Amino acid sequence: MWLHSPLKKTSPQQRQGDKFEQLARHYLEMQGLTFIAANQHFKSGELDLIMRDGTTTVFVEVRQRKNAHFGSAIESVDWQKQQRWLDAANLWLSEQEQSLEDADCRFDLVAFGANGDEITWIENFLDE
């Protein structure tokens, strides 16, 4: 179900982001989640992956850092990014005639190490 067409990725960073989003999607599917959509763009931000875990809608942020000079992939999800993530999720939910207040949803983070060989999945990253 594609509600928004993904933007064409052209830069090396965008193509690398696509690669890690695909790896995250595959990893989560192997854990039993079902794919709903990817790269949902809104004025307030982007939703990397939207998955379903049973009846729960899961908004997934995918992060990767080549090195930790500026913090880890997990540390890169600062307060501003969290707010954009929440806003984008609320906009997506509104298209489904739902909201953060009434939807069964959670916010997960999938973080990759420098080479992509290390994967960390944090369920309920935004524990509200």
Side-chain angles (χ1 to χ4, degrees):
M1 168 192 341
W2 288 85
L3 299 176
H4 300 270
S5 60
L7 296 177
K8 188 169 185 142
K9 307 270 181 159
T10 56
S11 76
Q13 292 85 1
Q14 290 171 321
R15 287 191 298 273
Q16 182 173 339
D18 273 351
K19 172 187 159 191
F20 284 103
E21 287 169 8
Q22 286 296 319
L23 288 171
R25 174 183 171 181
H26 178 71
Y27 176 81
L28 293 172
E29 287 175 331
M30 296 300 292
Q31 306 306 312
L33 279 70
T34 305
F35 175 75
I36 297 175
N39 300 315
Q40 301 295 290
H41 296 271
F42 298 92
K43 185 177 183 180
S44 61
E46 176 187 6
L47 298 169
D48 292 337
L49 293 172
I50 304 171
M51 307 288 287
R52 182 143 347 261
D53 187 4
T55 60
T56 303
T57 301
V58 183
F59 298 101
V60 182
E61 177 67 18
V62 179
R63 293 296 225 191
Q64 188 268 340
R65 286 287 174 102
K66 289 182 183 178
N67 59 56
H69 291 310
F70 298 105
S72 71
I74 295 168
E75 293 168 332
S76 72
V77 184
D78 61 12
W79 185 84
Q80 273 188 320
K81 173 59 187 167
Q82 292 175 28
Q83 295 310 302
R84 289 192 308 268
W85 192 5
L86 286 164
D87 291 345
N90 208 29
L91 289 169
W92 186 85
L93 285 168
S94 72
E95 292 180 348
Q96 318 307 310
E97 298 182 8
Q98 297 180 45
S99 72
L100 288 172
E101 289 76 34
D102 61 18
D104 179 10
C105 65
R106 71 173 194 251
F107 295 82
D108 290 5
L109 177 71
V110 175
F112 289 92
N115 299 322
D117 51 356
E118 226 178 275
I119 185 167
T120 303
W121 175 26
I122 303 174
E123 295 181 58
N124 291 307
F125 183 77
L126 301 183
D127 193 7
E128 299 185 291

